Amino acid sequence: MGLLSRMLRGTRWERLALPILETDRLAIAPLQADMAEEVRRLTDDPAITGAVDFLPERFELADARGLIRAASSGRDVFLGLVEHEDRRLIGIVGAHLRALEAIEIGYWIGGSARGRGYGAEGVEAVVRALAEGYPRRAIVAECRPENVASWRMLHKLGFRPTGDDGKRPGRQLMVWDIRDAPQGRLAAPGTIASGVAARPDGAR
């Protein structure tokens, strides 16, 4: 049985929770209700909504609020990547429980922040926290092979193609292997000051 088939089995869910994280440049934490307008402004970009399959073509304030509320289910958590320097929301990483054996990650980065390594920095921090918090679960992503920038970034972080098609058309399933991950780590759990939550390279 392939990894994708195993991911889709089972009906029992646990709640997904992550510690607050920080990297050299980013504060990373679940999106909060008062960030809805920031989330709308970041995400209402055709380059993002056209690449991330579950986002509507026009991403409005109600959509941003719905994205933030998704965390209440415990199955989907969206984390904001906030720059330390100017406290600006520059990207979002999603983590999603998939049946009993996997957690899927995806992400998008806002226009002016693209091409500066924020995607790799944020995704690696989240993936390592998930690996520590949920050691029995596979960490997976879906990516179009022709999305070269995202494919290369995921490969650099330790994701490898499984040979399975993803659930979304044109995507390949990739799984993270700590043996292939970079040495050291970009982030560690920490305490972030009150008020800081924390190229659409979306691997979705």
Side-chain angles (χ1 to χ4, degrees), residues 55-172:
L55 297 177
E57 184 177 354
R58 287 297 309 274
F59 190 85
E60 300 183 352
L61 190 59
D63 301 308
R65 289 172 175 154
L67 199 73
I68 294 166
R69 283 197 305 270
S72 64
S73 72
R75 291 169 23 192
D76 300 282
V77 176
F78 293 92
L79 302 113
L81 309 183
V82 176
E83 280 188 316
H84 284 309
E85 186 174 343
D86 62 9
R87 304 295 176 90
R88 181 173 60 105
L89 179 69
I90 57 90
I92 293 172
V93 176
H96 314 278
L97 287 174
R98 297 292 186 240
L100 296 181
E101 297 188 25
I103 300 172
E104 182 181 354
I105 62 99
Y107 66 99
W108 59 93
I109 303 297
S112 63
R114 294 172 197 158
R116 299 171 58 189
Y118 286 116
E121 190 170 332
V123 170
E124 180 172 26
V126 172
V127 166
R128 289 188 180 274
L130 289 170
E132 291 176 6
Y134 301 87
R136 295 186 179 181
R137 286 183 177 265
I139 301 171
V140 301
E142 290 189 7
C143 187
R144 295 184 181 95
E146 61 269 25
N147 184 350
V148 176
S150 190
W151 188 275
R152 286 178 177 169
M153 190 207 82
L154 291 168
H155 196 274
K156 180 179 179 180
L157 294 182
F159 284 85
R160 298 293 181 263
T162 65
D164 288 318
D165 291 332
K167 298 187 300 298
R168 303 166 186 86
R171 272 77 164 182
Q172 294 291 309

Side-chain angles (χ1 to χ4, degrees), residues 7-8 26 29 32-33 37 41 52 66-67 91-92 94 96 100 128-129 133 168 204:
M7 285 168 56
L8 296 175
L26 298 172
Q32 301 299 311
E37 175 55 27
R41 199 161 48 238
V52 182
L67 199 73
I92 293 172
H96 314 278
L100 296 181
R128 289 188 180 274
R168 303 166 186 86
R204 303 200 56 88

